[in-house]
Amino acid sequence: MEELAEVIAIDATQITLVSQVKSSCSSCSQVDTCGSGQVAKAIPHKKLTFTLPFPQSLANDINPNIDVYVGDCVILSLPEGNVLQSAWQVYLLPIIGLFSFSALGQLLLNQKLLTHELQALPLGIIGGYLGYRLAKYLQNQPSNIANLQPKILRILNKPIEIGTVDNKKPD
């Protein structure tokens, strides 16, 4: 996955970037009749500001002497496999926990170890919560955090503004 961002601040240890948040609901042919398209039109586009560690984000094997300045546009890269793995963990682990513990509650209810369905309900809730905690634990692992850190792929230098070019001929 690639995203365009602009450098707004550079520190000795970090680089601050801003990126335009895009909605896919503005280019569809059904944008005038779709509810999501109307919401996308009504809500103004927002900008996302974030910081990256400066030395790690610019260290690569191809060109270790990369110079970046405030106002430069950069292409950020994030491996799709890591994003998909993270999404799988965040969305599916709580659902798997909910379903498996709900099935355990149903089994205990069928075996007459629980007397009412309301006694089995907390088991499903506990399973969903445990799935959530497991997903949160996996997301907070240092290796996962490092894999989900965006990397600067390319730097697009700031274009020359038309007003700054002097048209005088040398004498």
Side-chain angles (χ1 to χ4, degrees):
M1 298 175 67
E2 293 182 1
E3 181 69 30
L4 183 67
E6 181 182 356
V7 178
I8 59 171
I10 298 175
D11 193 345
T13 60
Q14 62 189 13
I15 182 169
T16 305
L17 304 161
V18 64
S19 176
Q20 183 77 28
V21 177
K22 298 176 205 81
S23 171
S24 62
C25 288
S26 60
S27 62
C28 176
S29 63
Q30 301 294 323
V31 70
D32 292 329
T33 59
C34 174
S36 296
Q38 296 302 318
V39 171
K41 282 183 180 178
I43 298 174
H45 295 289
K46 297 186 179 189
K47 294 185 178 187
L48 176 67
T49 304
F50 55 97
T51 58
L52 295 176
F54 188 74
Q56 291 84 5
S57 64
L58 292 180
N60 63 22
D61 298 332
I62 300 169
N63 189 1
N65 299 321
I66 295 177
D67 292 329
V68 64
Y69 303 102
V70 173
D72 286 348
C73 288
V74 296
I75 305 290
L76 299 174
S77 173
L78 195 60
E80 286 185 31
N82 295 337
V83 173
L84 290 174
Q85 180 183 7
S86 179
W88 177 87
Q89 291 172 351
V90 168
Y91 289 114
L92 290 182
L93 285 177
I95 291 173
I96 291 170
L98 173 73
F99 286 167
S100 61
F101 275 65
S102 294
L104 175 66
Q106 187 65 35
L107 178 70
L108 294 175
L109 191 63
N110 288 342
Q111 302 221 345
K112 307 280 190 224
L113 295 173
L114 298 176
T115 58
H116 198 272
E117 290 177 353
L118 288 177
Q119 292 173 333
L121 182 65
L123 279 176
I125 294 170
I126 290 170
Y129 179 73
L130 289 175
Y132 159 76
R133 294 299 296 178
L134 178 62
K136 187 174 181 178
Y137 171 77
L138 292 173
Q139 293 303 305
N140 288 329
Q141 293 300 308
S143 62
N144 195 35
I145 292 172
N147 288 338
L148 291 174
Q149 184 75 31
K151 309 262 186 296
I152 294 178
L153 195 61
R154 292 186 306 273
I155 298 174
L156 308 171
N157 292 329
K158 186 175 181 180
I160 298 174
E161 294 180 20
I162 295 174
T164 61
V165 177
D166 191 11
N167 291 332
K168 294 181 184 177
K169 292 185 180 180
D171 292 330

CSV table of all heavy atoms in Angstrom, one decimal, residues 15-69:
chain,number,residue,atom,x,y,z
A,15,ILE,N,10.2,12.8,12.0
A,15,ILE,CA,9.7,13.6,10.9
A,15,ILE,C,8.2,13.6,11.0
A,15,ILE,O,7.6,12.6,11.2
A,15,ILE,CB,10.3,13.0,9.6
A,15,ILE,CG1,9.8,13.8,8.4
A,15,ILE,CG2,9.9,11.5,9.4
A,15,ILE,CD1,10.5,13.4,7.1
A,16,THR,N,7.6,14.8,10.8
A,16,THR,CA,6.1,14.9,10.9
A,16,THR,C,5.6,15.0,9.5
A,16,THR,O,6.1,15.9,8.7
A,16,THR,CB,5.8,16.1,11.8
A,16,THR,OG1,6.4,16.0,13.1
A,16,THR,CG2,4.3,16.2,12.0
A,17,LEU,N,4.6,14.2,9.2
A,17,LEU,CA,4.0,14.2,7.9
A,17,LEU,C,2.5,14.5,8.0
A,17,LEU,O,1.8,14.2,9.0
A,17,LEU,CB,4.2,12.8,7.3
A,17,LEU,CG,5.6,12.3,7.2
A,17,LEU,CD1,5.7,10.9,7.0
A,17,LEU,CD2,6.3,13.0,6.0
A,18,VAL,N,1.9,15.0,6.9
A,18,VAL,CA,0.4,15.2,6.9
A,18,VAL,C,0.0,14.5,5.6
A,18,VAL,O,0.6,14.7,4.5
A,18,VAL,CB,0.0,16.7,7.0
A,18,VAL,CG1,0.6,17.5,5.8
A,18,VAL,CG2,-1.5,16.8,7.1
A,19,SER,N,-1.1,13.8,5.7
A,19,SER,CA,-1.7,13.1,4.5
A,19,SER,C,-3.2,13.5,4.4
A,19,SER,O,-3.9,13.6,5.4
A,19,SER,CB,-1.5,11.6,4.6
A,19,SER,OG,-2.1,10.9,3.6
A,20,GLN,N,-3.7,13.6,3.2
A,20,GLN,CA,-5.1,13.8,2.9
A,20,GLN,C,-5.8,12.5,3.1
A,20,GLN,O,-5.5,11.6,2.4
A,20,GLN,CB,-5.3,14.4,1.5
A,20,GLN,CG,-6.7,14.8,1.2
A,20,GLN,CD,-7.1,16.1,1.9
A,20,GLN,OE1,-6.3,17.0,2.1
A,20,GLN,NE2,-8.4,16.3,2.1
A,21,VAL,N,-6.9,12.5,3.9
A,21,VAL,CA,-7.7,11.3,4.1
A,21,VAL,C,-8.7,11.3,2.9
A,21,VAL,O,-9.4,12.3,2.7
A,21,VAL,CB,-8.5,11.3,5.4
A,21,VAL,CG1,-9.4,10.2,5.5
A,21,VAL,CG2,-7.5,11.3,6.5
A,22,LYS,N,-8.7,10.3,2.1
A,22,LYS,CA,-9.5,10.2,0.9
A,22,LYS,C,-10.7,9.2,1.1
A,22,LYS,O,-10.6,8.2,1.8
A,22,LYS,CB,-8.7,9.7,-0.3
A,22,LYS,CG,-7.6,10.6,-0.6
A,22,LYS,CD,-6.8,9.9,-1.7
A,22,LYS,CE,-5.3,10.4,-1.8
A,22,LYS,NZ,-4.5,9.8,-0.8
A,23,SER,N,-11.8,9.6,0.6
A,23,SER,CA,-13.0,8.7,0.6
A,23,SER,C,-13.2,8.2,-0.8
A,23,SER,O,-13.1,8.9,-1.8
A,23,SER,CB,-14.2,9.5,1.0
A,23,SER,OG,-15.4,8.8,0.9
A,24,SER,N,-13.5,6.9,-0.9
A,24,SER,CA,-13.7,6.2,-2.1
A,24,SER,C,-15.1,6.5,-2.6
A,24,SER,O,-15.5,6.2,-3.7
A,24,SER,CB,-13.5,4.7,-2.0
A,24,SER,OG,-14.4,4.2,-1.1
A,25,CYS,N,-15.9,7.2,-1.9
A,25,CYS,CA,-17.3,7.5,-2.2
A,25,CYS,C,-17.5,8.7,-3.1
A,25,CYS,O,-18.6,9.1,-3.4
A,25,CYS,CB,-18.2,7.6,-1.0
A,25,CYS,SG,-18.4,6.1,-0.1
A,26,SER,N,-16.4,9.3,-3.5
A,26,SER,CA,-16.6,10.5,-4.3
A,26,SER,C,-16.5,10.3,-5.8
A,26,SER,O,-16.8,11.2,-6.6
A,26,SER,CB,-15.6,11.6,-3.9
A,26,SER,OG,-14.3,11.1,-4.1
A,27,SER,N,-16.0,9.1,-6.2
A,27,SER,CA,-15.8,8.9,-7.6
A,27,SER,C,-16.7,7.9,-8.3
A,27,SER,O,-16.6,7.6,-9.5
A,27,SER,CB,-14.3,8.4,-7.8
A,27,SER,OG,-14.2,7.2,-7.2
A,28,CYS,N,-17.6,7.3,-7.5
A,28,CYS,CA,-18.6,6.3,-8.0
A,28,CYS,C,-19.6,7.0,-8.9
A,28,CYS,O,-20.0,8.2,-8.7
A,28,CYS,CB,-19.2,5.6,-6.9
A,28,CYS,SG,-20.4,4.4,-7.3
A,29,SER,N,-20.2,6.3,-9.9
A,29,SER,CA,-21.2,6.9,-10.7
A,29,SER,C,-22.5,7.0,-10.0
A,29,SER,O,-23.4,7.7,-10.4
A,29,SER,CB,-21.4,6.0,-12.0
A,29,SER,OG,-21.8,4.7,-11.6
A,30,GLN,N,-22.7,6.3,-8.9
A,30,GLN,CA,-23.9,6.4,-8.1
A,30,GLN,C,-23.9,7.4,-6.9
A,30,GLN,O,-24.7,7.3,-6.0
A,30,GLN,CB,-24.3,5.0,-7.5
A,30,GLN,CG,-24.4,3.9,-8.6
A,30,GLN,CD,-25.6,4.2,-9.5
A,30,GLN,OE1,-26.7,4.6,-9.0
A,30,GLN,NE2,-25.5,3.9,-10.7
A,31,VAL,N,-22.9,8.3,-7.0
A,31,VAL,CA,-22.6,9.1,-5.8
A,31,VAL,C,-23.8,10.0,-5.5
A,31,VAL,O,-24.1,10.4,-4.4
A,31,VAL,CB,-21.3,10.0,-6.1
A,31,VAL,CG1,-21.5,11.0,-7.1
A,31,VAL,CG2,-20.9,10.6,-4.8
A,32,ASP,N,-24.6,10.4,-6.5
A,32,ASP,CA,-25.8,11.3,-6.3
A,32,ASP,C,-27.0,10.6,-5.6
A,32,ASP,O,-27.8,11.2,-5.0
A,32,ASP,CB,-26.2,11.9,-7.6
A,32,ASP,CG,-25.2,12.9,-8.1
A,32,ASP,OD1,-24.5,13.5,-7.3
A,32,ASP,OD2,-25.1,13.1,-9.3
A,33,THR,N,-27.1,9.2,-5.8
A,33,THR,CA,-28.2,8.5,-5.3
A,33,THR,C,-27.8,7.6,-4.1
A,33,THR,O,-28.7,7.0,-3.4
A,33,THR,CB,-28.8,7.6,-6.3
A,33,THR,OG1,-27.8,6.7,-6.8
A,33,THR,CG2,-29.3,8.4,-7.5
A,34,CYS,N,-26.6,7.6,-3.7
A,34,CYS,CA,-26.1,6.7,-2.6
A,34,CYS,C,-26.0,7.5,-1.3
A,34,CYS,O,-25.6,8.6,-1.3
A,34,CYS,CB,-24.8,6.1,-3.0
A,34,CYS,SG,-24.0,5.2,-1.7
A,35,GLY,N,-26.5,6.9,-0.2
A,35,GLY,CA,-26.4,7.6,1.1
A,35,GLY,C,-25.0,7.8,1.5
A,35,GLY,O,-24.7,8.9,2.1
A,36,SER,N,-24.1,6.8,1.3
A,36,SER,CA,-22.7,7.0,1.7
A,36,SER,C,-22.0,8.1,0.9
A,36,SER,O,-21.2,8.9,1.4
A,36,SER,CB,-21.9,5.7,1.4
A,36,SER,OG,-22.4,4.7,2.3
A,37,GLY,N,-22.4,8.2,-0.4
A,37,GLY,CA,-21.9,9.3,-1.2
A,37,GLY,C,-22.3,10.7,-0.7
A,37,GLY,O,-21.5,11.6,-0.8
A,38,GLN,N,-23.6,10.8,-0.3
A,38,GLN,CA,-24.0,12.0,0.2
A,38,GLN,C,-23.3,12.4,1.5
A,38,GLN,O,-23.0,13.6,1.8
A,38,GLN,CB,-25.6,12.0,0.5
A,38,GLN,CG,-26.4,11.7,-0.8
A,38,GLN,CD,-26.2,12.8,-1.8
A,38,GLN,OE1,-26.1,14.0,-1.4
A,38,GLN,NE2,-26.0,12.5,-3.0
A,39,VAL,N,-23.1,11.4,2.4
A,39,VAL,CA,-22.3,11.7,3.6
A,39,VAL,C,-20.9,12.1,3.3
A,39,VAL,O,-20.4,13.0,3.9
A,39,VAL,CB,-22.3,10.4,4.5
A,39,VAL,CG1,-21.4,10.6,5.7
A,39,VAL,CG2,-23.7,10.2,5.0
A,40,ALA,N,-20.3,11.5,2.3
A,40,ALA,CA,-18.9,11.8,1.9
A,40,ALA,C,-18.8,13.3,1.4
A,40,ALA,O,-17.9,14.0,1.6
A,40,ALA,CB,-18.4,10.9,0.9
A,41,LYS,N,-19.9,13.7,0.7
A,41,LYS,CA,-20.0,15.1,0.2
A,41,LYS,C,-20.1,16.1,1.3
A,41,LYS,O,-19.6,17.1,1.3
A,41,LYS,CB,-21.1,15.2,-0.8
A,41,LYS,CG,-20.9,14.7,-2.2
A,41,LYS,CD,-22.1,15.1,-3.0
A,41,LYS,CE,-22.0,14.6,-4.4
A,41,LYS,NZ,-23.2,14.9,-5.2
A,42,ALA,N,-20.9,15.7,2.3
A,42,ALA,CA,-21.2,16.6,3.4
A,42,ALA,C,-20.1,16.8,4.4
A,42,ALA,O,-19.9,17.9,4.9
A,42,ALA,CB,-22.5,16.1,4.2
A,43,ILE,N,-19.3,15.8,4.6
A,43,ILE,CA,-18.2,15.9,5.5
A,43,ILE,C,-17.0,16.3,4.8
A,43,ILE,O,-16.6,15.6,3.8
A,43,ILE,CB,-18.0,14.5,6.2
A,43,ILE,CG1,-19.2,14.1,7.0
A,43,ILE,CG2,-16.7,14.6,7.1
A,43,ILE,CD1,-19.1,12.8,7.6
A,44,PRO,N,-16.3,17.4,5.2
A,44,PRO,CA,-15.1,17.8,4.5
A,44,PRO,C,-14.0,16.8,4.6
A,44,PRO,O,-13.9,16.1,5.6
A,44,PRO,CB,-14.8,19.2,5.1
A,44,PRO,CG,-15.4,19.1,6.5
A,44,PRO,CD,-16.6,18.2,6.3
A,45,HIS,N,-13.1,16.8,3.6
A,45,HIS,CA,-11.9,15.9,3.7
A,45,HIS,C,-11.0,16.4,4.8
A,45,HIS,O,-10.8,17.6,5.0
A,45,HIS,CB,-11.2,15.9,2.4
A,45,HIS,CG,-12.0,15.3,1.3
A,45,HIS,ND1,-12.3,14.0,1.2
A,45,HIS,CD2,-12.6,15.9,0.2
A,45,HIS,CE1,-13.0,13.7,0.1
A,45,HIS,NE2,-13.2,14.9,-0.5
A,46,LYS,N,-10.5,15.4,5.6
A,46,LYS,CA,-9.7,15.8,6.7
A,46,LYS,C,-8.2,15.4,6.4
A,46,LYS,O,-8.0,14.6,5.5
A,46,LYS,CB,-10.2,15.1,7.9
A,46,LYS,CG,-11.6,15.5,8.3
A,46,LYS,CD,-12.0,14.9,9.6
A,46,LYS,CE,-13.4,15.4,10.0
A,46,LYS,NZ,-13.8,15.0,11.3
A,47,LYS,N,-7.3,15.9,7.2
A,47,LYS,CA,-5.9,15.6,7.1
A,47,LYS,C,-5.5,14.8,8.3
A,47,LYS,O,-5.9,15.0,9.4
A,47,LYS,CB,-5.1,16.9,6.9
A,47,LYS,CG,-5.4,17.6,5.7
A,47,LYS,CD,-4.5,18.8,5.5
A,47,LYS,CE,-4.8,19.5,4.2
A,47,LYS,NZ,-3.8,20.5,3.9
A,48,LEU,N,-4.6,13.8,8.0
A,48,LEU,CA,-4.1,13.0,9.1
A,48,LEU,C,-2.6,13.4,9.3
A,48,LEU,O,-1.8,13.4,8.3
A,48,LEU,CB,-4.2,11.5,8.6
A,48,LEU,CG,-3.6,10.5,9.5
A,48,LEU,CD1,-4.3,10.4,10.8
A,48,LEU,CD2,-3.5,9.1,8.9
A,49,THR,N,-2.3,13.7,10.5
A,49,THR,CA,-0.9,14.1,10.8
A,49,THR,C,-0.3,13.1,11.7
A,49,THR,O,-1.0,12.6,12.7
A,49,THR,CB,-0.9,15.5,11.6
A,49,THR,OG1,-1.6,16.5,10.8
A,49,THR,CG2,0.5,15.9,11.9
A,50,PHE,N,0.9,12.6,11.4
A,50,PHE,CA,1.6,11.6,12.2
A,50,PHE,C,3.1,11.8,12.1
A,50,PHE,O,3.6,12.6,11.3
A,50,PHE,CB,1.2,10.2,11.8
A,50,PHE,CG,1.4,9.9,10.3
A,50,PHE,CD1,2.5,9.3,9.9
A,50,PHE,CD2,0.4,10.3,9.4
A,50,PHE,CE1,2.7,9.0,8.5
A,50,PHE,CE2,0.6,10.1,8.0
A,50,PHE,CZ,1.8,9.4,7.6
A,51,THR,N,3.8,11.2,13.0
A,51,THR,CA,5.3,11.3,13.1
A,51,THR,C,5.9,10.0,12.9
A,51,THR,O,5.3,8.9,13.3
A,51,THR,CB,5.7,11.9,14.4
A,51,THR,OG1,5.3,11.1,15.5
A,51,THR,CG2,5.2,13.3,14.6
A,52,LEU,N,7.0,9.9,12.3
A,52,LEU,CA,7.8,8.7,12.1
A,52,LEU,C,9.2,9.0,12.7
A,52,LEU,O,9.7,10.1,12.6
A,52,LEU,CB,8.0,8.4,10.6
A,52,LEU,CG,6.7,8.1,9.8
A,52,LEU,CD1,7.1,7.9,8.3
A,52,LEU,CD2,6.1,6.8,10.3
A,53,PRO,N,9.8,7.9,13.2
A,53,PRO,CA,11.2,8.1,13.6
A,53,PRO,C,12.1,8.4,12.4
A,53,PRO,O,12.0,7.7,11.4
A,53,PRO,CB,11.5,6.7,14.2
A,53,PRO,CG,10.3,5.9,14.3
A,53,PRO,CD,9.3,6.6,13.4
A,54,PHE,N,12.8,9.4,12.5
A,54,PHE,CA,13.6,9.9,11.3
A,54,PHE,C,14.6,8.9,10.8
A,54,PHE,O,14.6,8.6,9.6
A,54,PHE,CB,14.2,11.3,11.6
A,54,PHE,CG,14.9,11.9,10.5
A,54,PHE,CD1,14.1,12.5,9.5
A,54,PHE,CD2,16.2,11.9,10.3
A,54,PHE,CE1,14.7,13.1,8.4
A,54,PHE,CE2,16.8,12.5,9.2
A,54,PHE,CZ,16.0,13.1,8.2
A,55,PRO,N,15.6,8.4,11.6
A,55,PRO,CA,16.6,7.6,11.0
A,55,PRO,C,16.1,6.3,10.5
A,55,PRO,O,16.5,5.8,9.4
A,55,PRO,CB,17.5,7.3,12.2
A,55,PRO,CG,17.3,8.3,13.2
A,55,PRO,CD,15.8,8.7,13.0
A,56,GLN,N,15.1,5.6,11.1
A,56,GLN,CA,14.6,4.3,10.6
A,56,GLN,C,13.8,4.5,9.4
A,56,GLN,O,13.8,3.7,8.5
A,56,GLN,CB,13.7,3.6,11.7
A,56,GLN,CG,14.5,3.2,12.9
A,56,GLN,CD,14.7,4.2,13.9
A,56,GLN,OE1,14.2,5.4,13.8
A,56,GLN,NE2,15.5,3.9,15.0
A,57,SER,N,13.0,5.6,9.3
A,57,SER,CA,12.2,5.7,8.1
A,57,SER,C,12.9,6.0,6.8
A,57,SER,O,12.5,5.7,5.8
A,57,SER,CB,11.1,6.8,8.4
A,57,SER,OG,11.8,8.1,8.5
A,58,LEU,N,14.1,6.6,6.9
A,58,LEU,CA,14.9,6.9,5.7
A,58,LEU,C,16.0,6.0,5.5
A,58,LEU,O,16.7,6.1,4.5
A,58,LEU,CB,15.5,8.4,5.8
A,58,LEU,CG,14.4,9.5,5.8
A,58,LEU,CD1,15.1,10.8,5.9
A,58,LEU,CD2,13.6,9.4,4.6
A,59,ALA,N,16.2,5.0,6.4
A,59,ALA,CA,17.3,4.1,6.2
A,59,ALA,C,16.9,3.0,5.2
A,59,ALA,O,15.9,2.3,5.5
A,59,ALA,CB,17.7,3.4,7.5
A,60,ASN,N,17.5,2.9,4.1
A,60,ASN,CA,17.3,1.8,3.2
A,60,ASN,C,18.6,1.4,2.5
A,60,ASN,O,19.6,2.1,2.6
A,60,ASN,CB,16.2,2.1,2.2
A,60,ASN,CG,16.5,3.3,1.2
A,60,ASN,OD1,17.7,3.6,1.1
A,60,ASN,ND2,15.5,3.9,0.7
A,61,ASP,N,18.6,0.3,1.8
A,61,ASP,CA,19.8,-0.3,1.2
A,61,ASP,C,20.1,0.4,-0.1
A,61,ASP,O,21.3,0.4,-0.5
A,61,ASP,CB,19.7,-1.8,1.0
A,61,ASP,CG,19.5,-2.5,2.3
A,61,ASP,OD1,20.0,-2.0,3.4
A,61,ASP,OD2,18.9,-3.6,2.3
A,62,ILE,N,19.1,1.0,-0.8
A,62,ILE,CA,19.3,1.5,-2.1
A,62,ILE,C,20.1,2.9,-2.0
A,62,ILE,O,21.1,3.1,-2.7
A,62,ILE,CB,18.0,1.7,-2.8
A,62,ILE,CG1,17.3,0.4,-2.9
A,62,ILE,CG2,18.1,2.4,-4.2
A,62,ILE,CD1,15.8,0.5,-3.4
A,63,ASN,N,19.6,3.8,-1.2
A,63,ASN,CA,20.2,5.1,-1.1
A,63,ASN,C,20.2,5.5,0.3
A,63,ASN,O,19.2,6.1,0.8
A,63,ASN,CB,19.5,6.1,-2.0
A,63,ASN,CG,20.2,7.4,-2.1
A,63,ASN,OD1,21.3,7.6,-1.5
A,63,ASN,ND2,19.6,8.3,-2.8
A,64,PRO,N,21.3,5.3,1.1
A,64,PRO,CA,21.3,5.7,2.5
A,64,PRO,C,21.5,7.2,2.7
A,64,PRO,O,21.2,7.7,3.8
A,64,PRO,CB,22.5,4.9,3.1
A,64,PRO,CG,23.4,4.7,1.9
A,64,PRO,CD,22.5,4.6,0.7
A,65,ASN,N,21.8,8.0,1.7
A,65,ASN,CA,22.0,9.4,1.9
A,65,ASN,C,20.9,10.2,1.3
A,65,ASN,O,21.1,11.0,0.5
A,65,ASN,CB,23.4,9.8,1.2
A,65,ASN,CG,24.5,9.1,1.8
A,65,ASN,OD1,24.6,8.9,3.0
A,65,ASN,ND2,25.5,8.7,1.0
A,66,ILE,N,19.7,10.0,1.8
A,66,ILE,CA,18.5,10.6,1.3
A,66,ILE,C,18.3,11.9,2.1
A,66,ILE,O,18.4,11.9,3.3
A,66,ILE,CB,17.3,9.8,1.5
A,66,ILE,CG1,17.4,8.5,0.6
A,66,ILE,CG2,16.0,10.5,1.1
A,66,ILE,CD1,16.3,7.6,0.7
A,67,ASP,N,18.1,13.0,1.4
A,67,ASP,CA,17.9,14.3,2.0
A,67,ASP,C,16.4,14.6,1.9
A,67,ASP,O,15.9,14.6,0.8
A,67,ASP,CB,18.7,15.4,1.4
A,67,ASP,CG,20.2,15.2,1.7
A,67,ASP,OD1,20.5,14.7,2.8
A,67,ASP,OD2,21.0,15.6,0.9
A,68,VAL,N,15.7,15.0,3.0
A,68,VAL,CA,14.3,15.4,2.9
A,68,VAL,C,14.2,16.7,3.6
A,68,VAL,O,14.9,17.0,4.6
A,68,VAL,CB,13.4,14.3,3.6
A,68,VAL,CG1,13.7,14.1,5.0
A,68,VAL,CG2,12.0,14.6,3.3
A,69,TYR,N,13.3,17.6,3.1
A,69,TYR,CA,13.2,18.9,3.6
A,69,TYR,C,11.7,19.2,3.8
A,69,TYR,O,10.8,18.5,3.3
A,69,TYR,CB,13.7,19.9,2.6
A,69,TYR,CG,15.2,19.7,2.3
A,69,TYR,CD1,15.5,19.1,1.1
A,69,TYR,CD2,16.2,20.1,3.2
A,69,TYR,CE1,16.9,18.9,0.8
A,69,TYR,CE2,17.5,19.8,2.9
A,69,TYR,CZ,17.9,19.2,1.7
A,69,TYR,OH,19.2,19.0,1.4
